[in-house]
Amino acid sequence: MQQNKHTRDDAVDTQRWEGLAEIDQAIRDNRLMEYRIKKSWADPWGRKLTILGVSAIVLVFAYLIGASFGMW
């Protein structure tokens, strides 16, 4: 009887810690993403491609906004 009680308590404990493990993984992923962004920005080619990509997106949105107001 005593052994069954411990087994149930262990199952309940693992269910409690699953949510915290997910939060821990999310924190780790966020730190990894920040590291990757900083590393990419330090690379000259990565910086140029980032600036080029963001500029292209901004220009497309500017064109669409201008077209919706009848500027061209």
Side-chain angles (χ1 to χ4, degrees):
M1 184 85 175
Q2 200 69 330
Q3 188 176 9
N4 288 340
K5 182 178 183 279
H6 290 297
T7 306
R8 280 186 277 147
D9 288 342
D10 291 341
V12 171
D13 285 342
T14 57
Q15 288 176 351
R16 280 190 221 148
W17 291 105
E18 285 179 18
L20 292 176
E22 290 176 17
I23 292 171
D24 187 41
Q25 181 66 32
I27 290 171
R28 261 188 270 138
D29 289 345
N30 188 24
R31 289 183 183 155
L32 285 175
M33 189 64 171
E34 181 183 352
Y35 171 75
R36 288 179 184 148
I37 290 171
K38 286 181 180 179
K39 187 175 178 181
S40 175
W41 189 253
D43 179 35
W45 282 103
R47 186 180 313 143
K48 288 176 186 174
L49 288 174
T50 302
I51 291 171
L52 183 68
V54 170
S55 298
I57 292 170
V58 167
L59 288 173
V60 167
F61 276 109
Y63 174 78
L64 292 173
I65 291 171
S68 68
F69 286 119
M71 294 181 162
W72 42 81

